[in-house]
Amino acid sequence: MKTCGVDIGSLETKMVLLDDKNIMDYRVGRSTFDFKRVGSNMFNELLEKHNLRKSEIYVMSTGYGRNTVSFADDRITEITAHARGVQYFYPEAHSVIDIGGQDSKAIVISEKTRNVIDFQMNDKCAAGTGRFIEVMAGALEVPIQQIGELALNSNNPASISSTCTVFAESEVISLFARGTKKEDIAAGIHKSIARRVAGMAKRIGVAPLLVFCGGVAKNIAVKKFLELELGFEIVTPVINGKSSAQLTGAIGAALIAQEQRSG
Amino acid sequence: MSLIADEIVRFSSVLRISYNLLTGRDYLKRKKFREKKKLISIALPFSDLVYGFPNLVPTFPIRMHTFEMHKYLTYLGSASRIFGWKNVSNFLGIIKNLNIGDVNKIIDEIINDVIDAVNNKYNEMYELGIENGVPTDFCYGIKSLYGMHVSKGKNVEANLNYTIRCSAWNKYLESLKTIENPAKQIWIDIPPRNIGNALELLTENLYDGIRELEKISGNNYDRNILRNHFQVANEIRNYYKTILYDISTLGFYPCNPATFSEILVILNNSFQDYNSNAIRYRDNMASLVKEMKERIRNKIGMDVSKMPRILITPMFGGWEPKSHEIIYELGGRAFYADWDILLLLEEIPITKISDPVEAYAHYLMNATKNGIGCDNDTLTDSYLRLARNLRADGLVFIQVFGCHSISNCYAMLKDKLRRELEIPSIALNFNRIGENIEQVKTRLGAFMEMFN
Amino acid sequence: MDNLELLSDYSSFLREKKEEGKKIIGFISHDNIPEELFDAAGFIPLRLLFAGNDEFMDASHDYLPPSTCAFAQSCIGLFSLKPNQYEFLDLIDYFIVSNHCVSDICASEIISKRFDIPRLNFYIPYTNNENSIKYFKLELLELKKQLEEINGKEIKDENLKESIKKYNSFKRKLLDFSFLNISGSEKLKILQKAILYGPFFLPELESFFEQRSDNEIQTSFNSKEVLLTGGSIFINDPLIDLVEEGGGNITFFDSWIGNNYYSQIIANDILDSIKNPYDILVHRFKNNNFGDHSVPNFLENKILQLEKIYQDHLKKTGRKLGIINHIIKFCDHISLLSSHLKNRLQEKGIQVLNLERDYSRAIRGQLSTRIEAFLEMI
């Protein structure tokens, strides 16, 4: 049985094609402002490549834009999808932290039912999300892909005390103006986001084994500072030696589709 | 270097008050374990009723913590027990005047961070409050207070709770019941308005509270003990007002204005429970007033007559402690006088009313009607009264994130200040100590330029 | 989308009353305002039960900081912008300043002062011990005095008693209505209208009952059943749509618009045995155990109440209820204790979603995700 999980995030669209429980293929691309078009183009590409018809695939959409996927047969929230998706990699996972472009979430999975038992999301403020890092990378004039590595070079993280993205940006600029090293500011930024997310996660009782997923999980500095804040090691999903932290939502949606179809 | 360290060593009374504030834990441990006294937690200046029972000790809960305190302050504490604080203070002054680099540095460090030590602890408690379930929507004060109770609440026998107009405060008090093994709660409901026989009802509520305290104390309430305490409490209030009204309005200060502000901060903190010993606190306040007056008489201090007077308020829900330093650097002098705005520095009218409990009910009702419990129209009038009496040139209003009570009056206050007193004001957003310092600097910079 | 028909009808209703010479008293709708006293004095109570939006909240920032209860912000914004459909706000003659919470004091005071509506005071004590109950009576008598001064005539006890009976019967009917097996959105629409109009709505309510018994249609829902506690879903709030779109159905409204209002029924023996009508109102205040204003037992009472409703429902239907604790951003009462409420109920195996939100459109997507994820959990 073939299923497809479509995770339309605020920044990126992820798509995973499953044949039973095996990943046949996957795609990641920018969501842009036209979620609908990006999703259907990506889906058509997959169909073409594998010589499949839509009627042969059961599609489950998830994520911020899940309601915009016209070719989806059903939809599910990214919270349930991530909780299921991480278990593809780590069947014994206890908790999940997902940091995406616009949201961050902490999820606890029931030991008994393996379903979500509690979750928490950030409030509408951007601090604690990928957007925060993006704004700060802009202020530091460092490419977003490099800011995590830069932060790890620091021995003395600067103190970024503002929890508001706008205030934090001006704090970063003034640190810069005072001659604070770029790597120390970068480390301060990562520490700040980790503190905020860990605070939210602790409130619902996250514990090992905790899987860190979402686009921001590719940033090694956020992972490191999260571990420091939480006081234990966390893991990120990998496929063929490559981070697949972004894919857990789509994988989870595809798996849930399989389970639903097989009753 | 803290500004306070520069001059505070010359005020033995401030040294003592600071020492008592920071070493509260040792004092309270001694009272609890050696002297078998019982601790009652209070917050805001609502400790007076507890003093009616000699074997009960009121404490503002943060004082049960250990503070990061320079080790030399501990040594000084020991030295003071042998030589007395006055001699220790004089000795420090002499050494400081010798201007020997290393020695000077040590002295500077002695009380370096009296305020920082308290505030670092506040920040720690703030994080603990959030970790333990206080939503981020609430003010710094409530988050920190909850953190204090989570960490040290088990040491107290009871929390003495007074209801005020702030609904977050009242619910915070209820939330203390959710802490593991919660202390007993004693509630004193202050009627929101003085109508009908509301005063009698408040007096009865206070008596109910006293009966609960009797049960904890094991001793019967003695009106003479309470009356005597109110006498002491009134003296403290008078000394406090002398500093606020007589000294702070002078053109010549007994120290630099930033030090003066820091003294007001220490008083604001310690006034809540009188550092758990009202008589000792009264004596320190008496010395403080005496020392300040002596210095002014001897022309030791600083001419501040040209410096604009800036009232910073409110600070009890959380405020940025660097504010007065920044104002000083920008050529101004800052005052803090929250308890007076809220009418909690008024005398307890024991000379007019024979029953001390009834007198206390009058005191609380007055504060409710015109200060801490009233509506914004009346509350802003209280701000105006103080600004007028202190001859403030400007007002800095601390708009605390998550404060749904006092913060809400700023628009009305700003309007009244401009219209009735013709003085400018500015709001500073505050969330957590140390956050947004750059913004504070920029805003205060622009604000202080208005007085050039 | 705004329920323009309701607002337009209500506007006509108020104009009609005004033409009859009635005066209108506005207030932020909470469960301790004695509207029977207004009724007995011949006034029309106008409960502010209207949800906010971005524009209302923004407009309030001229008067209050943004970290104020989003509902209080919206009430101010409503007066500040006064869109066409809310023109009836101009008909208000007096505004009550009360202290359900501090935002109530501040917002009511601003509405009265800034929009030139004469102010009446009605403050309530924070606990319900014996002396607080006595104080509540003082406030009732003070309010009576204020109303009598306006009217220039006494409010007779028998009139007040009649009003109490009238409201009581109305609340009984609403309580019956609350058990009807209809969709949450339909139920809410009627509850909102009923509480807005008060007993004037009774004939419409009765005719609704008659129509239902004529048709005897029992709707069955496949949706997941939800109890809503905490903040009300006010008029024009799309929240109920988000719940239903997500596959849920609110079967129980435990809020001002809902149980807090119609559960405050005074038993007949009390009505007969207590002669002084003010003492009847005092009795009701004393027994308002589920109102969020009082301390120190609100949380305990609320947990007991929710657990009972949950267990009764489980016994009756064999189905579990999910609880959505609706927290209007910066609400002191509901927010501060929300994590404790959730933890305590979850310990008992009851699923709770603490749904915190303000009235901005931007968070609608996130709200949907939270609600749907919660419904997926149950």
Side-chain angles (χ1 to χ4, degrees), chain A residues 63-64 66-67 75-80 102-103 105 116-124 203-204, chain C residues 245-246 329 342-343 346 351-353 356 358 360 363 365-366 368-370 372-374 376-377:
Chain A
Y64 178 72
R66 64 189 174 280
N67 296 322
R75 62 185 159 93
I76 197 124
T77 63
E78 59 270 36
I79 289 162
T80 307
Q102 176 174 274
D103 286 325
K105 308 166 191 84
V116 176
I117 194 170
D118 205 354
F119 68 91
Q120 185 92 28
M121 285 174 83
N122 66 310
D123 51 31
K124 68 175 174 179
R203 284 201 289 278
I204 57 163
Chain C
E245 283 161 17
K329 188 92 180 149
K342 178 175 167 172
N343 293 343
Q346 295 210 152
Q351 291 285 11
V352 180
L353 171 69
E356 186 195 70
D358 61 12
S360 62
I363 60 158
Q366 210 205 43
S368 289
T369 303
R370 290 182 196 207
E372 286 178 36
F374 176 67
E376 284 161 8
M377 267 168 66

Side-chain angles (χ1 to χ4, degrees), chain B residues 226-236 282 350-351:
Chain B
L226 191 62
R227 168 175 284 279
N228 289 342
H229 164 70
F230 285 159
Q231 182 73 46
V232 172
N234 283 343
E235 288 173 44
I236 292 170
R282 186 263 324 265
I350 42 170
T351 49

Side-chain angles (χ1 to χ4, degrees), chain B residues 276-291:
Chain B
S276 300
N277 184 335
I279 291 173
R280 181 180 69 180
Y281 194 75
R282 186 263 324 265
D283 295 346
N284 286 335
M285 289 292 277
S287 315
L288 177 58
V289 169
K290 196 172 155 214
E291 281 176 299

